[in-house]
Amino acid sequence: MNHFLDIHKTDATDLRAMIDQAGAMKQARLGRPKAALDDEQALKDRMVALIFEKPSTRTRVSFDVGVRQMGGQTMVLSGKDMQLGHGETIADTARVLSRYVDMIMIRTFDETILTEMAEYSDVPVINGLTDRTHPCQIMADVLTFEEHRGPIAGKKVVWTGDGNNVCASFLHAAGQFGFDLTFTGPAQLDPEEEFMGLARQKGSKIVIERDPHKAVEGADLVVADTWVSMHDSQSAKERRHNMLRPYQVNTELMSHAKPDALFMHCLPAHREEEATSEVMDGPNSVIFDEAENRLHAQKAVMRWCLGV
Ligand code: CP
């Protein structure tokens, strides 16, 4: 049994195998008769609990569909409707759920909730996003990049805006998959030093460049994300927008990257804020492939967790 808690906590060889298996399962579903699919029994007779303490569209639907495609069943649970949201401890919740289900995916707030769930669970636990990281998203993003441009190793990724939880998982992936990452954004929103250090220790070139035009020079991939995350105070919205406006990804900024540089955004987006519709709907944008690949990448993650 394996927990999928974070990219830097998962063996790099296993991560590579998951990306390759995700791509193979995706290809197998294109134009193949259902009976010929090798993944449709992988989770037969398995029950997966999907716990959401925060809103979700992609994570909720892609996990639900992924489990069903592999022959399993899901129960989608809202944190506030569980005793977890009314004082029951995480440890007790984990021990009880382990008696009912075969795997737990949780989207939550503080990462200690995730790690405590994993510590007390007898079944695999998957990180569906915490305030600190979002590893499933970046598994999908690596798969998406490689589908379009081949191996991501040695490439230059530029993260624009807020060094948030998604950026953190991109830094973890830089170290594990061997690419470089430049962060461009205001100093107040820099990614955590610890995460940049981890990537550097693995040999990745991690750069902070305040000038977004300089940052995107030579970029193979430019990434934007919402300027105000779910865990950010809404009262800080105006201040954040003022700080982040120079980092908007628009056609002019993209013109400084490589001509074939891809554009990614994990969605949901605030169009015309962190990125313009011209870029999001433009020829270099792969945002909807990213969303689709949540499904395929997470299927591989779940198989790895259960060893099936
Ligand atoms: N990218 C992402 O995690 O989307 P949801 O919040 O809709 O799940």
Side-chain angles (χ1 to χ4, degrees):
M1 160 182 121
N2 296 303
H3 298 302
F4 186 72
L5 303 184
D6 271 315
I7 287 178
H8 64 300
K9 295 176 182 168
T10 309
D11 182 83
T13 310
D14 290 353
L15 292 168
R16 168 48 55 198
M18 284 185 245
I19 296 292
D20 292 346
Q21 186 181 43
M25 285 192 289
K26 180 176 180 178
Q27 288 306 314
R29 282 194 169 257
L30 297 174
R32 290 264 299 275
K34 193 167 181 288
L37 296 171
D38 73 351
D39 65 3
E40 69 170 357
Q41 298 295 312
L43 263 59
K44 190 174 180 323
D45 298 328
R46 309 276 190 153
M47 177 64 74
V48 183
L50 308 175
I51 304 174
F52 289 91
E53 296 198 283
K54 292 180 178 185
S56 167
T57 297
R58 279 143 290 270
T59 306
R60 182 183 308 247
V61 178
S62 57
F63 265 105
D64 200 342
V65 171
V67 172
R68 289 164 194 249
Q69 282 189 357
M70 296 194 289
Q73 296 185 62
T74 59
M75 56 178 62
V76 181
L77 303 164
S78 157
K80 69 177 171 13
D81 294 333
M82 298 170 69
Q83 299 293 6
L84 179 65
H86 299 274
E88 186 164 24
T89 67
I90 300 154
D92 287 351
T93 304
R95 286 183 281 216
V96 169
L97 289 181
S98 299
R99 302 291 180 103
Y100 301 137
V101 304
D102 301 289
M103 189 154 49
I104 299 167
M105 190 289 310
I106 181 165
R107 164 167 289 196
T108 189
F109 298 94
D110 197 283
E111 75 169 358
T112 57
I113 298 171
L114 171 82
T115 50
E116 195 173 337
M117 181 76 76
E119 184 182 346
Y120 289 96
S121 172
D122 295 324
V123 300
V125 173
I126 297 174
N127 177 357
L129 179 144
T130 69
D131 292 351
R132 205 165 180 222
T133 61
H134 195 2
C136 289
Q137 179 63 54
I138 305 311
M139 293 297 280
D141 292 355
V142 170
L143 174 62
T144 306
F145 184 91
E146 296 199 336
E147 278 179 347
H148 286 271
R149 296 286 184 265
I152 198 167
K155 302 293 187 190
K156 177 179 175 179
V157 173
V158 177
W159 181 275
T160 63
D162 177 12
N164 63 12
N165 49 357
V166 187
C167 178
S169 288
F170 242 121
L171 281 165
H172 296 155
Q176 296 290 56
F177 289 96
F179 59 86
D180 300 329
L181 190 144
T182 295
F183 170 82
T184 186
Q188 298 95 315
L189 300 178
D190 277 351
E192 287 183 43
E193 276 295 340
E194 178 193 335
F195 293 159
M196 291 193 283
L198 279 170
R200 288 185 181 120
Q201 276 167 26
K202 298 249 179 189
S204 296
K205 189 176 166 195
I206 305 298
V207 172
I208 291 188
E209 171 54 64
R210 301 286 170 220
D211 180 341
H213 293 93
K214 281 190 193 155
V216 301
E217 280 171 15
D220 298 286
L221 168 62
V222 178
V223 190
D225 196 5
T226 181
W227 287 343
V228 184
S229 294
M230 284 184 276
H231 55 273
D232 291 322
S233 145
Q234 291 302 310
S235 61
K237 193 171 169 180
E238 191 180 332
R239 189 173 53 83
R240 277 177 162 263
H241 277 225
N242 290 337
M243 272 195 299
L244 287 160
R245 204 157 283 124
Y247 299 96
Q248 181 193 66
V249 181
N250 49 40
T251 303
E252 196 276 325
L253 184 64
M254 285 298 286
S255 73
H256 293 265
K258 282 186 180 169
D260 68 345
L262 295 176
F263 172 74
M264 286 191 188
H265 189 308
C266 70
L267 304 177
H270 297 83
R271 286 173 177 258
E272 314 311 332
E273 292 182 7
E274 66 267 17
T276 59
S277 286
E278 198 174 20
V279 169
M280 293 182 68
D281 299 328
N284 291 12
S285 171
V286 290
I287 58 176
F288 297 111
D289 291 340
E290 277 183 273
E292 177 185 341
N293 283 338
R294 292 292 302 275
L295 167 66
H296 307 294
Q298 289 159 191
K299 283 170 68 179
V301 168
M302 288 189 279
R303 291 184 76 167
W304 174 79
C305 284
L306 288 168
V308 295

